[in-house]
Amino acid sequence: MKILLITQNYLPCIGGIEMQTRQTAQEYCKRGHDTSIAAMNFAAYRGHPRLSILHSSLMAPKFSDSKDGDIQIHSLSPKNTVEKLKLLPLALRILPTPTPKIYYSLHKFCFPAYKSLVGPRLAKLMECVDVVHSLAADYIAWTAEQEARKRHIPFVCTPFVHPNQWGDDPENVSFYKKCDAVIGLLTTDTGYLETLGVSPQKLHVISNAPDLPETVDGPGFRERHQFGNLPIVLYVGRMMPQKGAKAIVEAAPKIWEKVPDAQIVFIGPGSPDELAIFEGADKRLHYLGKVSAQEKGDALAACDIFCMPSLSEILPTVYLEAWCLGKPVIGGMAHGLPELVEGNNGGLCVEQTSDAVANALLLLLENQTLREKFGEGGRAAVEARHSNAVVVDKLLNLYSSLIKSNQSKKA
C-alpha cells in the first residue's frame, strides 16, 4: 500500500501530533507499506503571538525535502520570494475581526492563495498513492482533500477538534462531511463530530498510541536528581496555563501541609511569561525544561503520580505513556478526558483549581493501594485499545476497506 500522510507541522517541530504521525509512519514502513509525509512547517514559532497564525503558511521557514529513516518527508514550505508573494494575501488573516462571521469570511477568502501554491505540489505527490490521510484540518487538509478527490483517492482525516476552540467552525465542518472517513480519538470525540453533522457512517474511533523509549530507568532518574525514595508528582507538557502547570504550582503549599517531602517535577517548554511561575520557587519544585525522550521516559518511570489537569486536550499521549508504566493519572476536565481517564479506571479528573488539584494529589499520595489500582487500570486500557499495534491495525484495516470500496465503485 502507498500511503501519503498530511500534517501541518513535522519534526523538528515537536508536539503530540508530530510524534504520533512519525510513530505511525514508522510502523507502516516496518510492515512494508510505502509511506511519505507532507508538511508545511518544521520549526517552532518564536515571534510575536499575533503573527503566529501565519507561521504555517506565509511565514513558514524554508525547509528541504528529507528522509526520516524509511519515511520520505516532503516540504510544502515556500522556497523563495516568488512563492511567498503567492501567499501574501494570507497576511490579511492577522487583521482584527469584530465578529466570528467576518473572521470566517476572511479565512475562506484567503484560501485560494494557499491552494495555488500547495495544491500543485500535493497533486504531484499523489501520483500512484492508494490512500491519503490528513492528521490536520484547515487549509492544508482542505487542499489535500480536493486534490485527492480529483484523482479518486480515498481520503481520511483525523481533525483533532477541540470543541469551541478550533476545528469546529463552519468551513471545517463542511470539509469533514466531504471526507471518506473521519477519525475521532475517543467516542466523546466522534460523538461531538456527529452533533456537528458528520455522518455516523464516516466516523471511526481510533486512538493515539504511547511513544516510549525501548527501556526506561526510573531509579537512574531518581539518582541523577537526588530524589532518593521521596514521592514524586510529575507534569510533562508545555507550560501554557490551559494545561494546568500554574494550578499545580499553586496547589503545592496545600500538598506540603500533609506530605512535606513531596517533590513536584515539571518537564516541557515555556515562554518567559509562562516560566515566571517558577521564579523564587520552593526547592521542592523542579523545572527541568525540555528534555530528551529518554529523560522523559525515565521521569515517567520514576514518578508516583502523573498530573496534567488540562482544559484543552483530546487524548494526551503522555497519559498513555504514564499508564504503560503503571502510573495513576490526574487529568483535567477537557472534553473527553473524563471518558479517557475515569472511564478506564486510570485515575481522576479534576477542575483546574489549586484546591481540586491539591485534594486529588493528596488522595493518591496518601493511598498507595489506590495509586496501584489506577495504574493497573490504565495499563490494561493501553493494552486493549491504545497500543501501537492495535492503533495501526485499525488504521490499515480502515484504509484497506476504503480502497476496496473505491475499486468497487470504479468497476
Side-chain angles (χ1 to χ4, degrees):
M1 193 184 307
K2 189 170 183 179
I3 304 166
L4 175 62
L5 301 178
I6 309 292
T7 181
Q8 191 74 263
N9 310 309
Y10 193 68
L11 306 176
C13 184
I14 297 175
I17 295 174
E18 292 76 43
M19 297 306 297
Q20 189 64 38
T21 303
R22 184 190 200 200
Q23 183 180 16
T24 303
Q26 287 174 332
E27 185 63 23
Y28 291 164
C29 290
K30 287 179 184 177
R31 299 192 187 193
H33 300 286
D34 183 351
T35 307
S36 58
I37 295 172
M40 173 63 86
N41 175 55
F42 299 82
Y45 182 64
R46 304 289 185 217
H48 192 281
R50 185 68 186 170
L51 301 179
S52 63
I53 196 170
L54 302 179
H55 190 59
S56 291
S57 55
L58 176 61
M59 295 177 62
K62 180 182 175 181
F63 204 85
S64 300
D65 292 354
S66 61
K67 292 277 287 188
D68 184 2
D70 293 329
I71 310 165
Q72 178 64 50
I73 309 300
H74 301 283
S75 171
L76 303 175
S77 61
K79 304 292 189 292
N80 50 50
T81 303
V82 172
E83 293 191 349
K84 282 187 176 289
L85 287 173
K86 270 193 173 184
L87 296 177
L88 192 58
L90 275 71
L92 294 171
R93 296 186 64 193
I94 67 172
L95 296 175
T97 49
T99 66
K101 184 176 181 180
I102 293 175
Y103 171 81
Y104 293 133
S105 296
L106 181 61
H107 188 52
K108 185 177 180 181
F109 173 79
C110 293
F111 174 56
Y114 182 96
K115 182 182 171 185
S116 70
L117 176 66
V118 176
R121 292 185 184 174
L122 287 176
K124 187 173 181 180
L125 296 180
M126 289 182 191
E127 293 175 2
C128 302
V129 163
D130 295 304
V131 64
V132 178
H133 183 175
S134 176
L135 290 96
D138 219 79
Y139 283 177
I140 193 168
W142 303 354
T143 306
E145 186 275 332
Q146 291 183 17
E147 296 300 331
R149 184 150 41 94
K150 289 178 188 175
R151 291 155 185 81
H152 307 288
I153 300 170
F155 184 86
V156 181
C157 179
T158 304
F160 302 100
V161 173
H162 286 51
N164 303 313
Q165 296 180 56
W166 66 78
D168 53 0
D169 56 274
E171 292 302 320
N172 272 310
V173 171
S174 177
F175 154 70
Y176 304 145
K177 294 176 182 179
K178 299 173 188 174
C179 299
D180 296 298
V182 181
I183 294 173
L185 306 183
L186 299 164
T187 55
T188 311
D189 203 9
T190 54
Y192 182 66
L193 287 164
E194 188 172 348
T195 68
L196 297 176
V198 182
S199 168
Q201 285 72 40
K202 292 187 175 185
L203 293 169
H204 304 265
V205 178
I206 303 178
S207 171
N208 283 344
D211 184 18
L212 286 167
E214 289 187 12
T215 61
V216 292
D217 183 8
F221 179 87
R222 285 178 170 272
E223 182 178 352
R224 286 193 297 278
H225 297 280
Q226 301 180 349
F227 289 138
N229 293 319
L230 298 173
I232 298 174
V233 175
L234 177 66
Y235 169 100
V236 177
R238 300 178 192 276
M239 297 300 137
M240 57 182 62
Q242 58 264 42
K243 285 185 176 286
K246 184 179 180 183
I248 299 172
V249 171
E250 293 173 346
K254 299 180 179 72
I255 296 165
W256 291 327
E257 288 176 6
K258 294 188 176 181
V259 187
D261 58 351
Q263 308 297 303
I264 308 178
V265 179
F266 295 84
I267 289 175
S271 69
D273 287 345
E274 291 164 350
L275 297 182
I277 59 175
F278 301 115
E279 291 179 5
D282 187 284
K283 64 181 181 180
R284 291 165 290 186
L285 285 180
H286 309 268
Y287 175 63
L288 304 186
K290 289 178 66 175
V291 302
S292 67
Q294 184 64 58
E295 182 76 348
K296 184 189 83 168
D298 293 348
L300 285 164
C303 76
D304 297 282
I305 303 167
F306 181 81
C307 182
M308 188 178 74
S310 183
L311 300 175
S312 177
E313 301 285 349
I314 302 174
L315 197 167
T317 302
V318 71
Y319 287 11
L320 307 180
E321 292 163 352
W323 283 339
C324 282
L325 299 168
K327 309 299 178 176
V329 165
I330 294 178
M333 299 302 292
H335 183 80
L337 291 191
E339 175 198 345
L340 174 67
V341 177
E342 296 182 348
N344 285 308
N345 199 29
L348 304 169
C349 282
V350 298
E351 297 290 344
Q352 200 187 90
T353 67
S354 60
D355 284 344
V357 172
N359 290 338
L361 283 169
L362 284 170
L363 176 65
L364 294 186
L365 284 167
E366 297 178 323
N367 192 328
Q368 181 179 348
T369 300
L370 188 58
R371 293 200 304 270
E372 292 174 351
K373 175 186 174 183
F374 285 151
E376 288 308 309
R379 195 200 305 268
V382 171
E383 291 175 354
R385 291 177 292 282
H386 305 289
S387 72
N388 196 40
V390 169
V391 168
V392 170
D393 282 346
K394 287 183 177 181
L395 287 168
L396 291 174
N397 287 338
L398 174 60
Y399 296 165
S400 296
S401 173
L402 292 173
I403 292 168
K404 184 177 180 180
S405 174
N406 194 49
Q407 289 172 341
S408 298
K409 291 176 183 176
K410 289 180 180 179

